[in-house]
Amino acid sequence: MAPPIKPQRPPHSEKNPFRGDIREFRSALTDWFLENGRDLPWRTFPPRDPYSVLVSEIMLQQTQVATVIDYYERWMERFPDIQALAAAPENDVLHAWQGLGYYSRARNLHAAAKLIARDYGGAFPQKAERILALPGVGPYTAAAVATFAFDMPTPPVDANILRVAARLLDYRKPTDSAAGLSHIRDIAQQWQPSAEEGGAGIFNEALMELGALVCTPRTPLCSACPVRIFCRAQEPETLPIKRPRPRKVELEEHCGWIVRDGQVLLEQQTGKRWRGLWRLPLLTEPHSGIPLAALTYPFTHHRVSLSVFPGTTPLFLTENQRWFPFPELEAVPMTAPHRRALRKLLLDKS
Ligand code: ADE
């Protein structure tokens, strides 16, 4: 463990009110990481092989670390380098990915290996724009490969780094907006050591690991935090701030099941959104009791509860109502929830 460090406070900047000396912060965090970081199979310091960084980062995109470990180890045995992956038949690649889901990730990884083998003679590109141009590689993954494999000062701002940064600065504006995220990215960029100083890769991995092990979402372990003296958060568990989700407004929709001589009464909708589509006729009077069919569906910021009750044959049809013989119903254009309700009613009837 590093000895406690007395922060030297540099003059505040409105944009990055970091509490203390950034170099001391980096060294305290990196020392903690070298001592306490998890021994994950893709962490082979230093230097890290860009191919293994790419494989692990793509696997980690939608899958938890604990699940990825086995897949990663088997993958690296089967396809130890770019050439091996590039030469593999697609079936083998998909087979090795089986169980991880989101198969486009495996196809993209395969395509990236083929591209590197073909265009760069198998040598992983080091320029940021070339990494970003690889299939399936977005700004996060490109930043992760550049920093972990090539020690570039490109912070890969994932949910962990975002949370750590928001707390260190007590940043109390939403971070799930483009402006908030871009602010945090700028801050994480300002914290990077220069290329000459070196050490960006390990520093970024340490930031990420702090978020995974100590600065956790619900109950952060502040008393065990190696950089708590640099932290401004008063109520860390409330950070980062997310924009309030608009509450869904509940709506009731009551429709009638009106049947006569092997025909069902439907009505054509006139509203902007569903003009021309048919639905079970709306009941003008609200009904109570047990519906013949009930389901819910989302509609913009509403949650609609659709209930269908037995209706009575009207004396006159409105101009947008029509009788449809049962065998024609499947061909009638309808909105999905009304189609579902109608199918259920037809099934119950038969
Ligand atoms: N999640 C995303 N990248 C990671 C990494 N390099 N180590 C641990 N967890 C991660």
Side-chain angles (χ1 to χ4, degrees):
M1 260 300 200
I5 290 162
K6 253 197 150 179
Q8 311 256 305
R9 293 193 189 169
H12 256 70
S13 106
E14 255 308 296
K15 277 190 80 187
N16 187 4
F18 188 78
R19 185 183 189 189
D21 182 272
I22 192 66
R23 283 193 187 80
E24 289 178 353
F25 169 76
R26 285 199 299 256
S27 92
L29 184 62
T30 307
D31 287 352
W32 167 84
F33 175 63
L34 291 172
E35 195 66 23
N36 299 280
R38 288 167 295 178
D39 191 12
L40 300 172
W42 49 88
R43 285 188 179 157
T44 50
F45 286 108
R48 283 176 63 182
D49 157 39
Y51 167 68
S52 68
V53 175
L54 183 66
V55 171
S56 59
E57 288 299 333
I58 300 272
M59 286 186 173
L60 286 161
Q61 272 169 18
Q62 268 117 350
T63 314
Q64 306 245 328
V65 170
T67 309
V68 165
I69 291 174
D70 275 356
Y71 277 93
Y72 173 83
E73 287 185 326
R74 268 183 273 134
W75 183 280
M76 294 306 280
E77 260 173 44
R78 175 73 189 76
F79 315 112
D81 50 34
I82 292 277
Q83 280 79 4
L85 180 58
E90 174 154 275
N91 251 350
D92 289 9
V93 175
L94 297 178
H95 188 255
W97 201 268
Q98 204 166 284
L100 278 175
Y102 303 96
Y103 286 83
S104 59
R105 293 187 289 168
R107 289 199 185 90
N108 278 331
L109 205 45
H110 195 201
K114 286 184 180 175
L115 189 151
I116 296 170
R118 190 193 63 206
D119 294 356
Y120 305 119
F124 208 99
Q126 299 202 17
K127 287 208 171 120
E129 66 274 14
R130 290 191 172 170
I131 302 175
L132 191 58
L134 295 172
V137 173
Y140 165 81
T141 309
V145 173
T147 196
F148 297 148
F150 304 124
D151 206 32
M152 310 256 275
T154 53
V157 179
D158 69 344
N160 284 321
I161 294 190
L162 184 129
R163 187 169 58 255
V164 168
R167 288 175 177 173
L168 278 159
L169 300 177
D170 202 22
Y171 182 73
R172 304 207 63 86
K173 292 186 192 153
T175 53
D176 57 348
S177 65
L181 183 60
S182 144
H183 179 75
I184 297 284
R185 283 211 181 108
D186 286 350
I187 297 285
Q189 189 63 58
Q190 290 178 42
W191 292 352
Q192 301 293 299
S194 65
E196 295 72 46
E197 282 173 291
I202 204 162
F203 169 63
N204 287 321
E205 191 93 73
L207 272 176
M208 220 179 237
E209 195 72 340
L210 188 74
L213 300 184
V214 175
C215 196
T216 50
R218 267 178 276 279
T219 42
L221 309 169
C222 298
S223 59
C225 179
V227 288
R228 63 184 176 280
I229 58 168
F230 300 92
C231 187
R232 292 185 168 275
Q234 302 292 321
E235 296 174 285
E237 60 292 340
T238 63
L239 293 170
I241 305 274
K242 302 233 170 90
R243 282 182 292 190
R245 294 233 173 114
R247 278 264 311 273
K248 295 244 170 201
V249 179
E250 302 276 341
L251 286 183
E252 294 275 343
E253 182 178 345
H254 290 175
C255 293
W257 175 239
I258 303 168
V259 177
R260 191 193 68 179
D261 303 334
Q263 303 183 99
V264 181
L265 188 65
L266 297 183
E267 89 192 354
Q268 198 166 31
Q269 307 200 58
T270 52
K272 211 155 124 202
R273 196 180 169 105
W274 290 316
R275 188 198 312 260
L277 297 177
W278 294 82
R279 70 163 170 225
L280 295 160
L282 269 186
L283 296 173
T284 42
E285 298 293 316
H287 262 58
S288 53
I290 298 171
L292 299 171
L295 53 88
T296 61
Y297 65 92
F299 168 55
T300 61
H301 53 284
H302 299 94
R303 182 173 178 271
V304 185
S305 300
L306 166 63
S307 308
V308 187
F309 295 96
T312 44
T313 305
L315 281 179
F316 304 100
L317 299 192
T318 62
E319 62 178 18
N320 54 341
Q321 291 181 329
R322 240 192 78 185
W323 293 104
F324 286 91
F326 287 131
E328 285 179 23
L329 286 171
E330 270 302 312
V332 179
M334 295 183 89
T335 57
H338 285 85
R339 162 82 57 214
R340 267 198 289 147
L342 179 68
R343 284 199 179 133
K344 182 169 178 352
L345 290 156
L346 291 172
L347 213 66
D348 290 350
K349 192 182 78 52
S350 56

